[in-house]
Amino acid sequence: MKVVNLKQAILQAWKERWSDYQWAINMKKFFPKGATWDILNLAEALLEQAMIGPSPNPLILSYLKYAISSQMVSYSSVLTAISKFDDFSRDLCVQALLDIMDMFCDRLSCHGKAEECIGLCRALLSALHWLLRCTAAFAERLQEGLEAGTPATGEKQLAMCLQCLEKTLSSTKNRALLHIAKLEEASSWTAIEHSLLKLGEILANLSNTQLRSQAEQCGTLIRSIPTMLSVHSEQLHKTGFPTVHALVLLEGTMNLTGETQPLVEQLMMVKRMQHIPTPLFVLEIWKACFVGLIESPEGTQELKWTAFTYLKIPQVLVKLKEYSHGDKDFTEDVNCAFEFLLKLTPLLDKADQRCNCDCTNFLLQECNKQGLLSEANFANLVAKRAADRDPELKSSENANIQPNPGLILRAEPTVTNILKTMDADHSKSPEGLLGVLGHMLSGKSLDLLLAAAAATGKLKSFARKFINLNEFTTHGNEFTTHGSGESTKTASVRALLFDISFLMLCHVAQTYGSEKITDNIKGKVCSLAVCAVAWLVAHVRMLGLDEREKSLQMIRQLAGPLYSENTLQFYKERVVIMSSILEHMCADVLQQTATQIKFPSAGVDTMPYWNLLPPKRPIKEVLTDIFAKVLEKGWVDSRSIHILDTLLHMGGVYWFCNNLIKELLKETRKEHTLQAVELLYSIFCLDMQQVTLVLLGHILPGLLTDSSKWQNLMDPPGTALAKLAVWCALSSYSSHKGQASSRQKKRHREDIEDYISLFPVEDMQPSKLMRLLSSNEDDANILSSPTDRSMNSSLSASQLHTVNMRDPLNRVLANLFLLISSILGSRTAGPHTQFVQWFMEECVDCLEQGSRGSILQFMPFTTVSELVKMSAMSSPKVVLAITDLSLPLGRQVAAKAIAAL
């Protein structure tokens, strides 16, 4: 008989009762090589013929089972064929289909092209929808049977459906394929969700608790598919988090004026990377604040810390609450954090003693005012603290000294009022304005107001108004009336306003940095003593040690006490601020030359954090010693932060980073390396952007390409370095897209041309790094430059997203991932290969999903297939995490890798 088509061949086999083996042989004779069985729709044709009667045809079904077992047909074609059957009243047919699915539903695979793997994802989604519809149909029938008094009807079939559903969904691999399918076909996933809702309503009244529980478990698994990458276990075994502690100390000590948002984002990044539970996260912030209050030197620094704790941090928590969508859980977490904090009675008592007040009470009031605590929790916490507080503290409080927390909280509204006053027309009431400024100069009012302004983001406005006033006073005609000349009194007031506003600007610049000021001043203000010393200090830095004496003598003369009969209003106060300004200006030059100059600083606090470095000692020794002490203590204190900051300035970013990494790689105790990573990350926050460029662009490539250094990358230091590198990369990449913090803007950025030379713009121009990779003769074909690599081997999601590759960080990340790809494809395995695995594992652990905006977008797509060859990386969740699923190509790559597992 000459076979005309597939249907005729199946019918002939049935009529002649061929065995499954005989059928397969004859089919290959009838249909010579060319078209595949899937293209001929063999699975669909067999099912169609098998399901013609009221019960399935067992012989034709045996052909289908043989075709599945011998891989004549793909799993996707069988799933697609099954999902087209919708006559659920035919119990035996449905049962047969469930039996077929049971053969392979927990071991799906596809080793074909990427398009075929995506086809498997779609087919599985269709099959899931079919199973849900099937389950709902049998559940309805069971419900009707119960009402009619025949409970056994449909129970067996429902149990079979749920068993198949559970078996399909229990596979992480299947859920990963469904995750990809959901992104491919959003409308089909919506249909799944509707079917799930309908099934839930039907099963709500089911008396069989076992079946209902099984169905609920299946529903939970389905609902977990869209978020299967965002579930991370939080660290419940740890109670201290030195990175958070150091980050808060760093911000409070060195960046009070910084915007709140970058700090919030950095804290959230650390919380996510280290999987910190919210109550312990908030607790660590409070602990750092109280340590800062206790440690801070008296004077301006103490006021800055108070403002940071009571004004800025509550605003930070308000923004963190917004990240939690303002839900009640966050206020409960804050309450829980305070409950933990109240147990640290010695810490709170020491802070109370230092600040001459109940510090916790002030903080609770402010949090309550900001809506971070409920009234009931607020009252409960206040009562608890009052009961636990050392009774001697209350009796020892000095009623004559107003506590800083209270002063700062009262200063905040005063700042707003002063800003309004300075908005008035200066020419109409210059004496009134002079009175306001004079009041600001008295006692510690100026530092108090500036600290409150800095913590609430109003310092920039303050500085701008000082600048406007200063410029205004240089135009005498503004103060004249009706064409008459300027009176002696008016000229005197104008001179005072100029002098005071100038001194205030200099004081603000030195206390809080010259940034939110320098752009506005542009050299328009001048005051002889301050400007002359500024020039002399710059001049001294350029002179040899033996040539400096003349300039230092001039500084002495300018800084010496002024004897004059001129006692204009606020004379004493202005001299005090000027002396403070000059002392700050000269500090580092005097330290370098071991020169002493007496400044008329009556009533001025000594300079905090000055003269920290021991004289005549190599700075590398100082760096290693300070890091060893920090590691021994387990946290970074304010003094250490300032020493490290000074060393970073003196040695430069590469020197600083390279030497600290060397210290990390010397450590062989696992618990110490993990702690070192947390501390180093917080230290690197002194200038995270530049440190990251050095670490990823210079230090890591040097370690990975030099075989003599590979032993340094062994566990545990290698694991620690991989973790640190990922944390730095993530932090820098997430922050550099937005506004850099003012603390990091202060640093002199590396020359971008250096990075363009190291990592060139044109894809076809071999970079220094890739030439370095190809220097090994044995691996010349593998570790080759981009010139020799096909576009496919280096194509990454970042190129499809058209990321700006002129940005140094983007270039460094792209080249690092090219290096990683080269190492994975190399024939040489070693500690450097293991390091790459740890690096990628940490990326997966820290990222919720490898989507647009992630550092993993710079990884070539071909790296995925290389990574899954490693046992630790061969899991569906890892594949989903490291591929950009927002791109069709990314989904194809992920589907191909997962389907082959």
Side-chain angles (χ1 to χ4, degrees), residues 682-731:
S682 56
I683 290 168
F684 286 171
C685 285
L686 286 165
D687 195 353
M688 182 58 78
Q689 290 283 327
Q690 292 298 304
V691 166
T692 303
L693 288 174
V694 164
L695 178 60
L696 304 186
H698 296 274
I699 296 172
L700 278 190
L703 288 167
L704 291 170
T705 55
D706 185 348
S707 57
S708 66
K709 296 178 181 175
W710 286 352
Q711 74 272 11
N712 296 326
L713 297 175
M714 295 177 74
D715 193 37
T719 318
L721 179 58
K723 187 183 286 285
L724 179 63
V726 171
W727 287 6
C728 291
L730 288 175
S731 297

Side-chain angles (χ1 to χ4, degrees), residues 641-671:
I641 286 174
H642 279 269
I643 293 174
L644 289 163
D645 188 52
T646 306
L647 291 168
L648 175 58
H649 272 297
M650 293 179 75
V653 179
Y654 180 83
W655 175 88
F656 185 79
C657 181
N658 191 41
N659 281 300
L660 285 175
I661 294 299
K662 283 179 182 176
E663 293 304 304
L664 173 65
L665 293 177
K666 288 177 188 174
E667 191 55 69
T668 55
R669 294 163 294 181
K670 188 166 187 176
E671 64 279 6

Side-chain angles (χ1 to χ4, degrees), residues 41-48 64 75-86 97 123 130:
N41 283 331
L42 177 59
E44 189 174 334
L46 285 169
L47 268 185
E48 191 180 304
L64 177 60
Y75 293 130
S76 58
S77 67
V78 179
L79 290 172
T80 303
I82 289 173
S83 61
K84 289 180 179 177
F85 184 86
D86 58 2
L97 293 175
W130 181 83

Side-chain angles (χ1 to χ4, degrees), residues 787-798:
T787 311
D788 306 319
R789 298 162 67 89
S790 69
M791 190 61 176
N792 289 338
S793 65
S794 61
L795 181 65
S796 67
S798 62

Side-chain angles (χ1 to χ4, degrees), residues 789-818:
R789 298 162 67 89
S790 69
M791 190 61 176
N792 289 338
S793 65
S794 61
L795 181 65
S796 67
S798 62
Q799 289 168 278
L800 298 178
H801 288 313
T802 60
V803 170
N804 174 22
M805 292 310 291
R806 280 198 164 273
D807 181 272
L809 183 59
N810 292 347
R811 308 190 63 68
V812 164
L813 285 167
N815 278 273
L816 178 64
F817 278 107
L818 270 178

Side-chain angles (χ1 to χ4, degrees), residues 181-289:
K182 172 195 172 290
L183 298 172
E184 282 284 315
E185 297 184 357
S187 58
S188 299
W189 186 258
T190 305
I192 295 271
E193 290 176 324
H194 287 156
S195 297
L196 198 57
L197 284 172
K198 182 184 176 185
L199 182 61
E201 291 168 4
I202 297 168
L203 293 173
N205 301 319
L206 193 66
S207 58
N208 188 321
T209 53
Q210 184 180 347
L211 290 178
R212 194 167 69 239
S213 172
Q214 199 174 6
E216 286 171 358
Q217 190 175 350
C218 291
T220 302
L221 285 170
I222 292 171
R223 280 186 286 272
S224 74
I225 288 169
T227 58
M228 67 185 296
L229 292 177
S230 60
V231 180
H232 287 299
S233 57
E234 292 185 328
Q235 290 201 56
L236 299 175
H237 59 283
K238 279 187 71 174
T239 53
F241 300 92
T243 307
V244 177
H245 189 100
L247 199 57
V248 173
L249 273 178
L250 178 64
E251 199 74 13
T253 306
M254 306 183 77
N255 197 31
L256 179 61
T257 56
E259 296 286 335
T260 307
Q261 191 59 31
L263 173 59
V264 170
E265 289 173 3
Q266 200 166 22
L267 284 169
M268 284 301 293
M269 175 69 73
V270 172
K271 182 181 186 295
R272 187 167 68 248
M273 289 191 303
Q274 299 187 15
H275 313 313
I276 308 174
T278 305
L280 297 180
F281 175 65
V282 176
L283 171 65
E284 199 64 51
I285 293 173
W286 290 138
K287 280 163 63 178
C289 286

Side-chain angles (χ1 to χ4, degrees), residues 567-586:
T567 54
L568 287 174
Q569 209 172 356
F570 311 120
Y571 173 72
K572 180 183 175 184
E573 290 84 355
R574 285 183 289 122
V575 168
V576 165
I577 293 181
M578 186 192 74
S579 300
S580 171
I581 291 166
L582 296 182
E583 186 177 7
H584 277 80
M585 275 184 178
C586 302

